[in-house]
Amino acid sequence: MTTESTIDVDTSLHPLDDPVRASLRGEHRRFAHWVGEIGRYDPEVARFVGHPPVLEEQDWADLAEVVGPGGVTALRGHGHVLPEGWSLLDQFGSVQMDGTGLEVAADPELEVLTAADVPEVLELIARTEPGPFAPRTIEMGTYLGLRVDGRLVAMAGERMHPPGWTEISAVCTDAEFRGRGLASRLVRAVGAGIRARGETPFLHAVAHNTTAISLYETLGFTLRKRGQLTLVQAP
């Protein structure tokens, strides 16, 4: 296994068409592990695996090496034909949203979260389930949180970082504090930091989470593309 990809970047692709590998070849190369054209994040940072749109025989072998025996990972795109020994666990739709139109605003009441806050962050993630969050996910970018009486009740931050773009992720609010516009404040504030670097926000959501998608649309996000995630298990 190598820490750098020897494969040239396909410049015909938009950075958001392959955000995992684009991030691992760029801003997040310090987290990257590569086998052939398969790239993955350090699992303590994120569980994402990047792969070509169509996996050939060698790609499946490399993917098996990356995830390990019995390892589970999500493949993006449609029409994957699993080799013998691989198992299909689940499939679900996703959406990718472009934040070019996001109206951003800094928020002085929010605080930058650090490694010292990770235990509280993981507790909030467990209560609200916005998506996967590992012990070192906070190293992927800037994470902002809101405290009430010293308790972390809402947060959002930066995840994947393909050239010119930064993903907004982990947007969550404790159930007791929902309906107060905290998620909107956090998304706008994280977006303000992204814009200050001359980059553009984007985000992902599962297709059935229509409540979240509607919120993002009111903030100025637009649908870029629909996709599919296929959860598979290696032999």
Side-chain angles (χ1 to χ4, degrees), residues 145-163:
L146 179 70
R147 293 184 183 278
V148 175
D149 296 329
R151 172 187 169 197
L152 183 66
V153 301
M155 63 172 283
E158 302 173 355
R159 196 166 62 176
M160 285 188 282
H161 200 157

Side-chain angles (χ1 to χ4, degrees), residues 57-179:
E57 182 178 355
Q58 185 59 52
D59 298 322
W60 285 105
D62 293 341
L63 181 62
E65 181 178 340
V66 165
V67 301
V72 174
T73 191
L75 304 177
R76 286 159 298 284
H78 298 267
H80 296 298
V81 180
L82 276 60
E84 183 177 356
W86 286 81
S87 301
L88 174 63
L89 302 181
D90 197 6
Q91 289 182 314
F92 50 93
S94 65
V95 297
Q96 185 182 78
M97 305 190 75
D98 181 330
T100 299
L102 173 65
E103 295 183 8
V104 303
D107 193 325
E109 290 189 42
L110 305 179
E111 67 176 70
V112 177
L113 301 174
T114 70
D117 300 304
V118 167
E120 282 186 281
V121 167
L122 293 176
E123 289 178 5
L124 179 60
I125 293 290
R127 293 197 303 273
T128 56
E129 299 183 336
F133 200 98
R136 292 176 54 207
T137 298
I138 202 165
E139 297 178 25
M140 297 178 79
T142 300
Y143 281 80
L144 302 178
L146 179 70
R147 293 184 183 278
V148 175
D149 296 329
R151 172 187 169 197
L152 183 66
V153 301
M155 63 172 283
E158 302 173 355
R159 196 166 62 176
M160 285 188 282
H161 200 157
W165 299 77
T166 300
E167 181 189 27
I168 297 178
S169 182
V171 181
C172 58
T173 303
D174 194 288
E176 182 182 346
F177 295 89
R178 290 174 186 165

Side-chain angles (χ1 to χ4, degrees), residues 200-219:
T200 305
F202 76 106
L203 56 78
H204 292 99
V206 292
H208 62 75
N209 192 353
T210 55
T211 300
I213 293 170
S214 295
L215 168 64
Y216 298 140
E217 288 176 335
T218 64
L219 296 176

